[in-house]
Amino acid sequence: MRMSKMFIPTMREIPSDAEITSHQLMVRSGMIKRTATGIYNQLPLGMRVQNRIESIIREELENVDYQEMLCSALIPSELWQESGRWTRRGAEMFKLKDRRGREYCLGPTHEEVFTDIVRQEVSSYKQLPIRLFQIQSKYRDERKPRFGVIRTKSFTMVDAYSFDLTKEEMDKSYKEMKKVFSRILDRCGLEYITVEADSGIDGSPASIEFMIQSEIGADEIAICTECDYSANLERAHCFDRHFENEEIKPIEEVYTPDAGTIKDLEVFFGKDASGFAKTLIYEADDKRIAVIVRGDRAVNEIKVKNFIGDVESFTLATDDTVREVTGAEVGFAGPIGIKADRILVDSEVASASNMIAGANKTGYHIKNVNFKRDFDGEVGDFKTVSNGDRCPICGAPMKIRRGMEIAHIFEPGYKFSEKMNATYKAENGKTEYIHMGCYEIGTERLTAALIEQNNDDSGIVWPMSVAPFKVVVVPVNLKNEDVVHTAENIYMKLKEVIGNDVLIDDRTGSAGVKFKDSDLIGIPIRITVGRDLRDGLVEMKLRDSDERELISVSSVVEVVRDKISELR
Amino acid sequence: MRMSKMFIPTMREIPSDAEITSHQLMVRSGMIKRTATGIYNQLPLGMRVQNRIESIIREELENVDYQEMLCSALIPSELWQESGRWTRRGAEMFKLKDRRGREYCLGPTHEEVFTDIVRQEVSSYKQLPIRLFQIQSKYRDERKPRFGVIRTKSFTMVDAYSFDLTKEEMDKSYKEMKKVFSRILDRCGLEYITVEADSGIDGSPASIEFMIQSEIGADEIAICTECDYSANLERAHCFDRHFENEEIKPIEEVYTPDAGTIKDLEVFFGKDASGFAKTLIYEADDKRIAVIVRGDRAVNEIKVKNFIGDVESFTLATDDTVREVTGAEVGFAGPIGIKADRILVDSEVASASNMIAGANKTGYHIKNVNFKRDFDGEVGDFKTVSNGDRCPICGAPMKIRRGMEIAHIFEPGYKFSEKMNATYKAENGKTEYIHMGCYEIGTERLTAALIEQNNDDSGIVWPMSVAPFKVVVVPVNLKNEDVVHTAENIYMKLKEVIGNDVLIDDRTGSAGVKFKDSDLIGIPIRITVGRDLRDGLVEMKLRDSDERELISVSSVVEVVRDKISELR
């Protein structure tokens, strides 16, 4: 391609609305252009990178028999009503009506559509497995679009789906896709970690996010400092922190009128937060749920939601509800005598002794509260892991870091099949649910992540596999006929070998500008045709190194070709 | 690929909701699947054809320096308000709001977005021309979705845009794209005609539709029986039909109380419809427009709209307005003394003599009405061409046929640039508008059109260039090890040569079913491995012929390769 004909509007200044490196560089290198908050268009350079990434993904998915489809982004509400997600998905879903008043959403994801297609065609076990994928725009009405293409209202997702006979078969598909996704991200040149995650699917244990560690990530991850355990804080586990068991003492009501916070209570009782049992009240549909964790812990709402199962709405209770449930002002909730529909007790509280808790009586707390003796409830893990907690696998300390999700694989299992009646007749004649696995990669976000990891002061440093061009030929002086002729010659010959992956910067203008642009847009190999030409030489410089190598004009095609295979 | 792993849900029955051949065959061959009225998904086989077509389009567009982009389908209302199309586009546009109440449309087309991007980057004449395209889903709230993927609410469009300095440069780009589009459709194997069309852009003369002749087409086309003139009826011209000029007679008011229709009047006056001047009243925004054509003609509203220029709304006048303008009951409008803001006179009326017209007086007509003597107005071509009219180029008779648009190229020129202030500084320092050309192909509709033209009783007969697979290998008996082994061997060898374009039907099941399926899905070449194998032979059959050829196992790869190049 000729730079003179390309639409690559580069800029030197840092755009004022771009907070992070990848956003700045994508705008500055002319990869993307904003139309409105959270809405970006891919300009030709960005599109070339997208196409590279999509090719890698297609190739790897087709290798394991996933077949490409394309579903409309316009999805009738009926399908989402069947799955129960029409209301539950909430404000993030774009909804609209057609001229007859029929309701649709713009697909934020496509599980319903794929399940619908498969259930219509599959009747017998002989027709499974089925493996499908699509590369399609997804739409989410983000509350706070941010960071360029990282958090947007419309973005490209590769979503793949496996449909299997049994949980065992689904697990196999899932494990295979874990490898496939790793290979895809490896080939793109991304450094990532795999993180156990919440699937958003009740009771689905298998869920892995492929994340990069990044301060701008929306998630927190617990990472073991010793073994390779890492998990999204949403579902991370840890060993309980135990304290020496004291002798069980009799309960004692204490008047604490001025102690409004845990801090005040620590001072009042001369005990640190870990000695308190903190009670939070939630409303899950029409049920009141009391959750009790230690005073030094935060409740993990995702864990609570997964524990109580299928609910439409789940929120912290209003003050009025708290008063009703506790019979006291807000601030004095406790486990003893609370009028909740369910009482969930974190395992650390269940195993501790002589805790201090609210008395469900305005102005009072109770000392020496003990599980089973003084109150009962369902025991589980309802706490949020924090820095220094011990790894549930090896016991070493964990650290908490921020992470950004690039891809996600999970197992809805028969969740959609059950709601949407996607079944098959098994060999033994019984009707069984189809088991689904879901596998998603956000391609623009992957691009941004690659830039976050591959840049320097001059611009982007593309890995060869996804670079928009693999090599750029720069004639330094268009007035010198020899230079122009040789550069054009090298360009044409390279084109024969690597096709459209070679760019020639045939613009009039200084060599300095051309160098700056090729550094900014991050082309891995630069061939400069300049004054060394009188010795039959041109200069080769790699984007990720400061070294310059002089090579003979006659060998340039061969050298470049070898370099490309070496760097691939 | 292995048929046993593909998701190609073929069916023998004709789906009850499919009225036309292409729709029936796309459903029966498992290419598409409906989610709701007017919303289809591409299943793997359909997707393969789409990908083929898109590859051809990409290649041809990139050959002439068009660069691929991808714009979001979610477009903020502001851009459409700037262009004036937010309200004018009407009910066909899907509109929606985000959680903050900001309005968007789902792009039915992308002129505004591309103009917006280009105007932000271009300041100098040195930056033009720019040539861009995208392959993107478009959304239109069709009043009556129909014919499978032919008229839908969501479909794929390739839209390309040229941005040039001047009208002359734009014309060059336009002419080049006419060739490029012809080459694309030729390569896909489509038989089409190019038709002069209305561009929907006021005063834009250059507009060509690439159409197939088809009874299910939504358009009517005038086609010359001699030369190669053809035009959409919306804008087709013809020579005026002239009659012998009579001696001009004095006007005469005639009482015609019972003559309500042209038919009645023909009997009453003993003159056929061509002797009458018919007056229709339109409301264009707040103006009343009287249009006068001959009694045997229909008014061409598109021509009228283009003539009067930029208006928001344009409709036939209500009865109340007709009464106001004519001062008479409906049915007696005429050119003399009519109180319209503009009077448009079709050229046939202007050149005829002694016509009969309404008197603008209830119950009366006027005889011997003559243009200029009795009334005045703006003369133009406001009539709809009809069967047998003479070609404006060569004078031969034209016929009217139905046609279906597959692609459309047109010149908005500076229409969007003017409204959206997309300018550049010319070499002479003056600020000038950028000139835009637009080029669109609907890819699903192209697929359907290809099937309409390439099918027989057994199914689709794909042209080689767009076939989802080029060759299928059919082992007739999976219990015969020799057969299986040879078929697998041929499959693997073909795969080395033509990659994923070879399919093996490795399903258990009868040869009959396999033949029926491969005929239905239209694979151009079938290699059958069966009983001739004992003589070292396999059978080659082309989809578009009944002949079977026996070829030796050792030569099959070579023969198939040659056949593919021959048919390409």
Side-chain angles (χ1 to χ4, degrees):
Chain A
M1 308 286 280
R2 296 181 173 279
M3 194 71 170
S4 63
K5 300 202 167 177
M6 290 286 300
F7 181 58
I8 306 181
T10 58
M11 57 194 273
R12 298 281 169 261
E13 322 80 74
I14 294 172
S16 57
D17 65 334
E19 305 164 65
I20 59 165
T21 308
S22 60
H23 185 190
Q24 291 166 3
L25 285 175
M26 288 177 90
V27 173
R28 288 185 52 210
S29 66
M31 288 178 70
I32 55 170
K33 189 93 203 161
R34 207 182 74 121
T35 292
T37 306
I39 300 182
Y40 284 85
N41 306 303
Q42 296 287 337
L43 300 189
L45 199 70
M47 196 65 205
R48 289 182 71 88
V49 176
Q50 286 298 305
N51 280 340
R52 295 255 181 285
I53 289 174
E54 289 178 10
S55 293
I56 291 173
I57 294 174
R58 264 197 191 96
E59 201 181 304
E60 292 293 342
L61 289 179
E62 286 176 354
N63 262 346
V64 286
D65 296 320
Y66 282 76
Q67 296 159 57
E68 187 170 2
M69 292 186 32
L70 187 65
C71 296
S72 177
L74 202 59
I75 309 178
S77 61
E78 288 85 347
L79 283 182
W80 286 74
Q81 262 145 2
E82 264 194 83
S83 74
R85 299 205 297 177
W86 180 250
T87 49
R88 203 178 302 178
R89 190 88 193 186
E92 197 198 53
M93 195 149 79
F94 279 113
K95 293 178 179 177
L96 70 160
K97 288 183 182 170
D98 71 10
R99 59 167 86 210
R100 292 182 203 284
R102 193 169 174 179
E103 277 193 300
Y104 303 84
C105 70
L106 295 182
T109 166
H110 271 83
E111 285 92 346
E112 281 85 351
V113 176
F114 276 83
T115 300
D116 178 49
I117 290 169
V118 167
R119 74 175 166 180
Q120 288 184 62
E121 295 304 336
V122 169
S123 53
S124 155
Y125 69 95
K126 290 180 189 158
Q127 293 167 277
L128 294 173
I130 292 171
R131 299 176 152 198
L132 303 168
F133 77 100
Q134 69 172 343
I135 303 178
Q136 164 69 304
S137 300
K138 296 279 189 278
Y139 299 88
R140 292 183 188 172
D141 193 356
E142 279 282 349
R143 186 193 308 273
K144 205 179 169 193
R146 223 179 146 184
F147 302 138
V149 299
I150 286 176
R151 212 184 303 156
T152 55
K153 292 185 168 143
S154 113
F155 58 97
T156 309
M157 188 194 270
V158 180
D159 43 331
Y161 304 87
S162 59
F163 296 91
D164 282 298
L165 291 171
T166 60
K167 175 156 189 348
E168 291 66 41
E169 295 292 318
M170 171 180 75
D171 285 342
K172 267 191 234 165
S173 298
Y174 175 83
K175 277 180 194 141
E176 182 178 41
M177 280 298 255
K178 187 181 170 195
K179 284 188 204 149
V180 171
F181 269 41
S182 301
R183 206 153 49 223
I184 288 168
L185 299 181
D186 287 341
R187 280 185 65 185
C188 291
L190 190 76
E191 281 184 37
Y192 60 92
I193 50 175
T194 53
V195 174
E196 284 185 18
D198 182 67
S199 61
I201 306 289
D202 314 323
S204 163
S207 173
I208 290 176
E209 286 166 341
F210 294 76
M211 287 192 153
I212 64 163
Q213 283 195 48
S214 165
E215 280 314 301
I216 58 166
D219 292 272
E220 289 186 294
I221 325 168
I223 304 173
C224 180
T225 51
E226 292 288 335
C227 78
D228 61 359
Y229 177 77
S230 55
N232 195 310
L233 221 54
E234 290 174 344
R235 76 168 257 149
H237 299 291
C238 63
F239 279 124
D240 283 355
R241 289 193 204 144
H242 283 296
F243 295 90
E244 262 174 67
N245 271 345
E246 300 172 11
E247 191 192 337
I248 304 293
K249 296 179 193 159
I251 63 169
E252 186 184 324
E253 197 175 271
V254 182
Y255 185 49
T256 56
D258 302 322
T261 66
I262 282 274
K263 206 92 217 144
D264 296 338
L265 290 165
E266 286 183 307
V267 174
F268 186 93
F269 286 100
K271 217 169 180 180
D272 85 6
S274 64
F276 291 79
K278 184 163 69 180
T279 302
L280 280 92
I281 321 287
Y282 290 88
E283 298 184 68
D285 292 345
D286 57 345
K287 296 268 187 295
R288 281 88 182 259
I289 315 284
V291 183
I292 300 146
V293 295
R294 240 173 31 201
D296 59 337
R297 290 293 192 184
V299 169
N300 183 319
E301 297 185 355
I302 305 263
K303 288 181 182 176
V304 173
K305 265 164 78 177
N306 286 343
F307 187 86
I308 59 179
D310 212 15
V311 291
E312 283 276 328
S313 78
F314 180 84
T315 53
L316 255 181
T318 60
D319 286 358
D320 282 350
T321 305
V322 171
R323 284 184 206 108
E324 240 179 76
V325 172
T326 62
E329 276 309 307
V330 174
F332 300 94
I336 302 174
I338 195 159
K339 293 196 214 78
D341 296 293
R342 293 174 76 172
I343 300 175
L344 309 189
V345 182
D346 183 70
S347 52
E348 283 181 342
V349 171
S351 67
S353 45
N354 303 331
M355 303 201 86
I356 299 162
N360 294 324
K361 180 173 168 188
T362 306
Y364 288 87
H365 278 77
I366 297 178
K367 273 174 75 172
N368 304 328
V369 171
N370 288 279
F371 181 62
K372 284 293 173 193
R373 187 192 68 178
D374 306 319
F375 70 100
D376 207 346
E378 303 167 75
V379 178
D381 175 11
F382 305 115
K383 60 187 158 297
T384 302
V385 166
S386 56
N387 216 29
D389 267 327
R390 284 185 298 128
C391 168
I393 306 294
C394 75
M398 295 189 286
K399 57 188 182 183
I400 309 293
R401 292 285 177 272
R402 295 206 76 81
M404 182 165 74
E405 180 193 325
I406 305 300
H408 187 193
I409 64 174
F410 56 104
E411 291 184 345
Y414 57 83
K415 175 189 146 105
F416 291 95
S417 299
E418 191 177 19
K419 300 229 168 182
M420 298 177 67
N421 200 31
T423 62
Y424 65 90
K425 186 149 280 184
E427 206 166 355
N428 63 14
K430 276 169 74 175
T431 298
E432 304 278 1
Y433 288 124
I434 298 171
H435 282 71
M436 175 161 73
C438 286
Y439 318 98
E440 305 175 342
I441 303 180
T443 59
E444 287 102 348
R445 189 182 278 192
L446 171 54
T447 304
L450 285 167
I451 295 175
E452 288 288 328
Q453 293 182 346
N454 298 279
N455 69 78
D456 61 19
D457 288 346
S458 306
I460 305 169
V461 186
W462 284 117
M464 186 60 84
S465 59
V466 298
F469 296 97
K470 296 192 191 323
V471 52
V472 57
V473 179
V474 181
V476 294
N477 180 356
L478 291 189
K479 282 173 193 144
N480 181 324
E481 269 182 41
D482 255 12
V483 164
V484 172
H485 181 257
T486 306
E488 287 286 341
N489 220 344
I490 292 172
Y491 169 66
M492 294 310 291
K493 280 189 186 148
L494 281 172
K495 223 177 142 176
E496 276 169 34
V497 180
I498 58 169
N500 261 338
D501 286 340
V502 55
L503 181 69
I504 182 167
D505 196 343
D506 58 342
R507 296 176 298 175
T508 54
S510 77
V513 167
K514 295 181 184 182
F515 292 160
K516 278 216 170 70
D517 274 348
S518 83
D519 279 356
L520 178 59
I521 67 179
I523 317 288
I525 303 173
R526 188 177 79 205
I527 301 293
T528 307
V529 184
R531 56 177 176 194
D532 295 308
L533 192 57
R534 53 193 168 194
D535 306 318
L537 299 172
V538 297
E539 182 194 279
M540 177 169 78
K541 184 185 169 299
L542 303 185
R543 177 66 183 86
D544 65 355
S545 144
D546 285 333
E547 277 168 47
R548 287 139 211 275
E549 194 182 333
L550 289 175
I551 51 179
S552 73
V553 171
S554 58
S555 71
V556 64
V557 172
E558 207 178 329
V559 171
V560 167
R561 190 172 45 191
D562 290 352
K563 192 51 86 181
I564 290 173
S565 344
E566 186 191 319
L567 296 175
R568 200 181 295 274
Chain B
M1 308 286 280
R2 295 181 174 278
M3 195 70 171
S4 62
K5 299 202 167 177
M6 292 285 300
F7 181 58
I8 307 180
T10 57
M11 56 193 275
R12 298 283 168 261
E13 322 79 73
I14 294 172
S16 57
D17 65 335
E19 304 165 64
I20 59 165
T21 308
S22 61
H23 186 190
Q24 292 166 1
L25 286 175
M26 288 178 89
V27 173
R28 288 186 52 210
S29 66
M31 289 178 69
I32 56 170
K33 188 92 202 161
R34 207 181 75 122
T35 291
T37 306
I39 300 183
Y40 284 86
N41 306 303
Q42 295 287 336
L43 300 189
L45 199 71
M47 196 64 205
R48 288 182 73 88
V49 176
Q50 286 298 303
N51 280 340
R52 295 254 181 284
I53 289 175
E54 289 179 11
S55 293
I56 291 172
I57 294 173
R58 265 197 191 95
E59 201 182 305
E60 292 294 340
L61 289 178
E62 287 175 356
N63 263 346
V64 287
D65 296 320
Y66 282 75
Q67 297 158 58
E68 188 170 1
M69 291 187 33
L70 187 65
C71 295
S72 177
L74 202 59
I75 308 177
S77 60
E78 288 84 347
L79 284 181
W80 286 73
Q81 261 145 6
E82 267 195 80
S83 74
R85 298 205 297 177
W86 180 250
T87 48
R88 205 178 300 180
R89 189 88 193 186
E92 197 198 52
M93 195 149 79
F94 279 112
K95 293 179 178 176
L96 69 162
K97 288 183 181 170
D98 71 9
R99 58 168 86 209
R100 292 183 203 285
R102 193 170 175 180
E103 275 194 301
Y104 304 84
C105 70
L106 294 183
T109 166
H110 271 82
E111 285 92 345
E112 281 85 352
V113 175
F114 276 83
T115 300
D116 178 50
I117 290 169
V118 167
R119 73 174 166 181
Q120 289 183 62
E121 295 305 334
V122 169
S123 53
S124 155
Y125 69 96
K126 290 180 190 159
Q127 294 167 277
L128 294 173
I130 291 172
R131 301 176 151 199
L132 303 168
F133 78 99
Q134 69 171 344
I135 304 179
Q136 165 68 306
S137 300
K138 296 279 189 277
Y139 299 88
R140 292 183 189 172
D141 193 358
E142 280 282 349
R143 186 193 307 274
K144 205 180 168 192
R146 220 178 148 187
F147 302 138
V149 298
I150 286 175
R151 212 183 303 157
T152 56
K153 290 186 167 140
S154 113
F155 57 97
T156 309
M157 188 193 269
V158 179
D159 42 331
Y161 304 88
S162 59
F163 296 92
D164 281 298
L165 290 171
T166 60
K167 174 156 189 347
E168 291 66 42
E169 296 292 318
M170 171 181 74
D171 285 342
K172 267 191 233 164
S173 298
Y174 174 84
K175 276 180 194 142
E176 182 178 41
M177 280 299 255
K178 187 182 170 195
K179 284 188 204 149
V180 171
F181 269 41
S182 301
R183 206 151 51 221
I184 288 168
L185 299 181
D186 286 341
R187 280 184 64 185
C188 291
L190 191 76
E191 280 183 37
Y192 59 92
I193 51 174
T194 54
V195 174
E196 284 186 17
D198 182 66
S199 62
I201 307 289
D202 315 323
S204 164
S207 173
I208 290 176
E209 286 166 338
F210 294 75
M211 288 192 154
I212 63 163
Q213 284 195 47
S214 164
E215 280 314 302
I216 58 164
D219 292 271
E220 287 185 297
I221 326 167
I223 303 173
C224 179
T225 52
E226 292 287 337
C227 78
D228 60 0
Y229 178 78
S230 54
N232 194 310
L233 220 54
E234 290 175 344
R235 76 169 257 150
H237 299 291
C238 62
F239 279 124
D240 283 356
R241 290 193 204 146
H242 284 296
F243 296 92
E244 262 176 67
N245 271 347
E246 301 172 9
E247 191 190 338
I248 303 293
K249 297 180 191 158
I251 65 169
E252 184 183 324
E253 197 173 273
V254 182
Y255 186 50
T256 56
D258 301 322
T261 66
I262 283 274
K263 206 91 219 146
D264 296 340
L265 289 164
E266 286 184 307
V267 174
F268 185 93
F269 286 100
K271 217 169 180 182
D272 86 9
S274 62
F276 291 80
K278 184 164 69 179
T279 302
L280 279 93
I281 322 287
Y282 290 89
E283 298 184 69
D285 293 347
D286 58 346
K287 297 268 187 292
R288 280 89 183 259
I289 314 287
V291 183
I292 299 147
V293 295
R294 240 176 27 204
D296 57 339
R297 291 292 192 185
V299 169
N300 184 320
E301 297 185 356
I302 305 263
K303 289 181 181 175
V304 173
K305 265 163 77 175
N306 286 343
F307 187 86
I308 59 179
D310 213 14
V311 289
E312 284 276 329
S313 78
F314 180 84
T315 52
L316 256 180
T318 60
D319 286 357
D320 281 350
T321 305
V322 171
R323 284 185 206 105
E324 242 179 74
V325 172
T326 62
E329 278 307 307
V330 175
F332 300 94
I336 302 174
I338 195 159
K339 294 197 212 74
D341 296 293
R342 293 175 75 172
I343 300 176
L344 309 188
V345 182
D346 183 70
S347 52
E348 283 181 342
V349 172
S351 66
S353 45
N354 301 334
M355 304 200 87
I356 300 163
N360 294 324
K361 180 173 167 189
T362 306
Y364 287 87
H365 279 77
I366 297 179
K367 272 173 76 173
N368 304 330
V369 171
N370 289 280
F371 182 60
K372 286 292 173 194
R373 185 191 71 179
D374 306 320
F375 68 100
D376 209 345
E378 304 167 73
V379 178
D381 175 10
F382 305 114
K383 60 188 159 296
T384 302
V385 166
S386 57
N387 216 30
D389 267 326
R390 285 185 298 127
C391 169
I393 306 295
C394 76
M398 296 190 287
K399 57 188 181 183
I400 310 293
R401 291 285 178 273
R402 296 206 76 82
M404 181 164 75
E405 180 193 324
I406 305 299
H408 187 194
I409 63 175
F410 57 103
E411 291 184 346
Y414 58 83
K415 175 190 148 106
F416 291 94
S417 300
E418 190 177 21
K419 300 228 168 186
M420 298 177 66
N421 200 31
T423 62
Y424 66 90
K425 187 149 279 184
E427 206 165 356
N428 62 13
K430 276 170 73 176
T431 298
E432 303 278 0
Y433 289 124
I434 298 171
H435 282 70
M436 176 161 73
C438 287
Y439 318 98
E440 305 174 341
I441 304 180
T443 60
E444 286 102 347
R445 189 182 277 192
L446 170 53
T447 305
L450 285 167
I451 295 175
E452 288 288 328
Q453 293 181 346
N454 298 278
N455 70 77
D456 61 18
D457 289 345
S458 306
I460 304 169
V461 186
W462 285 116
M464 186 61 84
S465 59
V466 298
F469 296 97
K470 296 193 191 320
V471 50
V472 57
V473 180
V474 180
V476 294
N477 180 356
L478 291 190
K479 283 176 192 141
N480 182 325
E481 269 182 39
D482 256 12
V483 164
V484 173
H485 181 258
T486 306
E488 286 286 341
N489 220 344
I490 292 172
Y491 169 65
M492 294 310 292
K493 279 188 187 150
L494 281 172
K495 223 178 142 174
E496 277 168 35
V497 180
I498 58 169
N500 261 338
D501 286 342
V502 55
L503 181 70
I504 183 167
D505 196 343
D506 58 342
R507 296 176 297 175
T508 54
S510 77
V513 167
K514 295 181 184 183
F515 292 160
K516 278 216 168 73
D517 274 347
S518 83
D519 279 355
L520 177 59
I521 68 179
I523 316 289
I525 303 173
R526 187 177 80 204
I527 300 293
T528 307
V529 184
R531 58 178 176 195
D532 296 307
L533 191 57
R534 56 194 167 194
D535 306 319
L537 299 173
V538 296
E539 181 195 280
M540 178 169 79
K541 184 187 170 297
L542 303 185
R543 177 66 182 84
D544 65 354
S545 142
D546 284 334
E547 277 169 47
R548 287 138 212 274
E549 193 182 336
L550 289 175
I551 53 179
S552 72
V553 170
S554 58
S555 70
V556 64
V557 172
E558 206 178 330
V559 172
V560 166
R561 190 173 44 193
D562 291 351
K563 193 50 87 180
I564 289 173
S565 344
E566 185 192 321
L567 295 176
R568 200 180 296 273

